[in-house]
């Protein structure tokens, strides 16, 4: 059996919703599912065809719902199973699809499976999680190895009832499931996957989907952080030996029963050759994946570095990261994705462009042009379409809610005895890449709390909501929101080149201020797409690809306001998209 072609999800424009911060319908300060349903016409008008809903499952919320205590129920502040049924129906009634987060590397320590597993070594669920005996050295009880949690500290937690340690690659309240056990896999498939596909959802974004298979000898990790007790162990739990076997099993035993199910994987720390093994159409494991090279620019977190080591990347590094993602489809049967934001990243405007007031709207439109002209399934994150940006540098640690960010800050503060300069350094890194930047409430209008809630919001609303909000931008024909609508529409009209284009070529790789690329499609008879993007506060010259400076070009779109004409040079943060016809490409 092969998947139908073309797959519905390839040309889909997807929109990620972080439920806690999206829209509150009942005034308790937390977003909810009825709030989401109320905005579906807005998303439809934007051009969204698929919604990705981040975890809404029942959870103690130690890690914002990525610690699931019941896959088959909803976190009460978000709503009920009936609300989810209504959301699924409402999406489908509007011709939209809905995908959910699939979090099956670990559960919450409050999940019934783990509560039973921790009781003793002989109960039905005893081996459903990764348990290891302590090492005894000089009469002292030590952890099974030196692995460091992805969120910092030890990856092991002692359980007195069993006199054993359990593995948690994330916080201690997120014990890792033992995928080696077939009974565990069957339990996951039934409770986390089939339950929701039976309700009619259209697929999943698969959380940390290359971590299930570990090196079952559990050796010590190589020392990379000198002087540290716990060491990054990605080599021993990323892309492990049975990953492809299990993903094939999942597709053949479960997903195939439901037709063309979208499975978009989160695949950090994976090189291009290995990514292909996951997303090859022939392999039939994942539909596509998020490549993190772009959003990890300037950080050292994957190598075990700290957030206060964050630096500003260069434009050539940015171009290279995008080239890697675009080249995934070159000569292969794979598919790729386009994204610059999600719930784990700082806002793209602050990270990759500028959030200076004088250039912010122009820069947001320039990034819209970049995203909509790249090949792959397009993913937008809530608030990106209005140009939301990172929280102000003046905010203190008391405004943060994310456990990863708080752990990072407290680690620095503890190591350096709360030295104010070190604490300032920690906050500077978090202001650029901290996860709370993406989790601030969506700014719907200029009323109190930005129209997100009538109550007290669970996290502070951005100070600039009166200037940046949906209601104001709907009325303004030159707004970022209306530009995104125009750009998404253009992407659909020119899908062959924009969505499915091939031969992505960067023409000014070393230029620190301008990004120029071309794309073509074999079935478009030699037409080319030519894109110029300015990443500068100053006017910049155009770097025309060889032979294209004098040929006739049709300007499909620029991000200048109505009435403004493109000139000889690129104005600050300007973007242009040209179409060059076959008749002028002879000999090109």
């Amino acid at each position: 059996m092969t998947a139908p072609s073309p797959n519905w999800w390839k040309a889909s424009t997807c929109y990620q919703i972080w439920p806690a911060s999206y829209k509150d319908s009942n005034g308790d300060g937390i977003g909810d599912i009825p709030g989401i349903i109320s905005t579906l016409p807005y998303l439809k008008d934007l051009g969204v065809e698929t919604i990705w809903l981040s975890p809404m499952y029942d959870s103690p919320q130690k890690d914002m719902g990525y610690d699931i205590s019941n896959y088959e129920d909803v976190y009460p502040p978000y709503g009920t199973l009936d609300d989810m049924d209504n959301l699924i129906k409402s999406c489908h009634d509007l011709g939209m699809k809905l995908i959910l987060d699939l979090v099956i590397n670990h559960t919450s320590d409050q999940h019934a499976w783990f509560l039973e597993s921790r009781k003793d070594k002989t109960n039905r669920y005893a081996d459903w999680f990764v348990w290891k005996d302590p090492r005894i050295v000089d009469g002292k009880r030590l952890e099974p190895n030196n692995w460091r949690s992805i969120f910092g500290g030890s990856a092991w937690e002692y359980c007195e009832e069993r006199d054993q340690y359990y593995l948690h690659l994330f916080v201690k309240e997120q014990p890792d499931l033992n995928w080696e056990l077939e009974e565990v896999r069957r339990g996951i498939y039934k409770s986390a996957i089939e339950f929701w596909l039976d309700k009619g959802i259209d697929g999943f974004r698969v959380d940390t989907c290359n971590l299930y298979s570990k090196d079952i000898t559990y050796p010590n990790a190589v020392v990379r952080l000198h002087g540290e007790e716990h060491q990054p162990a990605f080599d021993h739990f990323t892309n492990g030996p049975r990953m492809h076997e299990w993903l094939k099993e999942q597709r053949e035993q479960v997903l195939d029963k439901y037709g063309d199910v979208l499975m978009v994987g989160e695949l950090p720390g994976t090189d291009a050759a290995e990514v292909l093994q996951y997303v090859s159409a022939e392999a039939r494991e994942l539909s596509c994946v998020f490549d993190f090279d772009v959003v990890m620019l300037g950080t050292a977190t994957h190598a075990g570095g700290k957030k206060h080591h964050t630096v500003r990347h260069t434009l050539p590094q940015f171009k290279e990261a995008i080239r890697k993602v675009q080249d995934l489809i070159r000569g292969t049967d794979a598919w790729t994705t386009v994204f610059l934001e999600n719930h784990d990243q700082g806002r793209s405007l602050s990270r990759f462009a500028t959030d200076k007031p004088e250039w912010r709207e122009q820069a947001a439109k320039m990034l819209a042009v970049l995203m909509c002209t790249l090949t792959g399934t397009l993913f937008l994150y809530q608030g990106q379409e209005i140009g939301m940006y990172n929280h102000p540098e003046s905010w203190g640690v008391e405004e943060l809610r994310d456990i990863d960010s708080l752990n990072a800050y407290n680690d620095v503060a503890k190591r350096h005895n709360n030295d104010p300069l070190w604490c300032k350094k920690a906050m500077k890194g978090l202001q650029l890449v901290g996860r709370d930047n993406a989790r601030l409430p969506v700014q719907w209008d200029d009323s109190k709390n930005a129209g997100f809630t009538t109550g007290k919001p669970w996290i502070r609303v951005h100070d600039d909501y009166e200037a940046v909000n949906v209601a104001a931008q709907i009325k303004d024909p030159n707004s970022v929101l209306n530009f995104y609508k125009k750009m998404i529409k253009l992407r659909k009209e020119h899908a062959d080149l924009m969505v499915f284009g091939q031969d992505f070529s960067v023409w000014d790789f070393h230029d620190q201020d301008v990004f120029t690329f071309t794309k073509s499609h074999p079935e478009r008879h030699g037409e080319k797409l030519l894109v110029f993007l300015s990443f500068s506060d100053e006017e910049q010259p155009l770097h025309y690809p060889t032979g294209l400076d004098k040929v006739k070009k049709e300007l499909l779109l620029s991000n200048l306001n109505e009435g403004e004409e493109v000139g000889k040079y690129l104005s600050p943060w300007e973007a242009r998209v040209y179409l060059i016809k076959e008749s002028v490409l002879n000999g090109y």
Side-chain angles (χ1 to χ4, degrees), residues 108-121:
S108 163
D109 63 352
Q110 298 305 303
H111 194 291
W113 297 343
F114 186 76
L115 292 175
E116 287 299 312
S117 185
R118 71 175 300 148
K119 286 180 179 177
D120 55 56
K121 300 176 185 178

Side-chain angles (χ1 to χ4, degrees), residues 148-150 224-225 232 234 292-313 345 351 404 429 432-433:
R148 181 180 187 267
S149 159
I150 292 168
R224 289 189 173 93
L225 302 176
F234 292 97
F292 285 81
D293 282 22
V294 176
V295 294
M296 296 302 284
L297 285 169
T299 72
T301 50
H302 182 70
K306 307 295 195 299
K307 284 188 165 61
H308 58 277
H309 293 157
T310 301
V311 295
R312 176 64 79 168
H313 63 276
Q345 312 299 332
R351 287 285 313 281
D404 186 30
L432 187 62
V433 303

Side-chain angles (χ1 to χ4, degrees), residues 68-123:
I68 296 170
S69 55
N70 187 349
Y71 290 108
E72 300 174 28
D73 207 351
V74 177
Y75 179 51
Y78 293 164
T80 64
L81 283 172
D82 283 344
D83 289 328
M84 279 302 297
D85 289 336
N86 288 339
L87 176 61
I88 295 166
K89 183 178 186 303
S90 298
C91 285
H92 291 166
D93 285 349
L94 286 170
M96 300 164 79
K97 307 279 190 180
L98 178 68
I99 68 172
L100 304 182
D101 241 289
L102 184 60
V103 188
I104 50 180
N105 173 70
H106 48 265
T107 69
S108 163
D109 63 352
Q110 298 305 303
H111 194 291
W113 297 343
F114 186 76
L115 292 175
E116 287 299 312
S117 185
R118 71 175 300 148
K119 286 180 179 177
D120 55 56
K121 300 176 185 178
T122 58
N123 69 81

Side-chain angles (χ1 to χ4, degrees), residues 336-399:
T336 191
T337 58
V338 182
F339 81 106
L340 288 177
E341 290 187 22
N342 64 29
H343 60 290
D344 282 336
Q345 312 299 332
R347 288 287 184 177
S348 59
L349 202 50
S350 304
R351 287 285 313 281
F352 306 118
T354 181
D355 54 21
K356 293 177 186 175
E358 62 267 39
W359 306 122
R360 200 167 57 223
E361 288 192 10
Q362 189 84 332
K365 295 175 186 178
M366 184 275 293
L367 290 179
V369 172
L370 169 65
M371 293 187 69
C372 289
T373 54
L374 291 176
T375 294
T377 302
L378 178 64
F379 283 84
L380 299 177
Y381 180 73
Q382 61 183 45
Q384 187 174 359
E385 77 278 13
I386 59 169
M388 286 182 66
Y389 58 100
N390 281 1
H391 66 69
E393 291 182 14
S394 59
W395 285 18
V397 68
E398 70 279 357
E399 305 295 350

Side-chain angles (χ1 to χ4, degrees), residues 105 176 181 212 312 352 399 410 452 554:
N105 173 70
D176 278 53
L181 201 64
Y212 310 157
R312 176 64 79 168
F352 306 118
E399 305 295 350
N410 292 332
F452 161 67
E554 177 191 350

Side-chain angles (χ1 to χ4, degrees), residues 33 37 53 223 237 322 354 374 425 454 472 491 561 578:
I33 297 161
I37 294 170
L53 180 58
V223 174
F237 59 68
I322 286 177
T354 181
L374 291 176
K425 192 180 179 81
T454 56
R491 178 175 169 85
N561 287 335
Y578 289 101

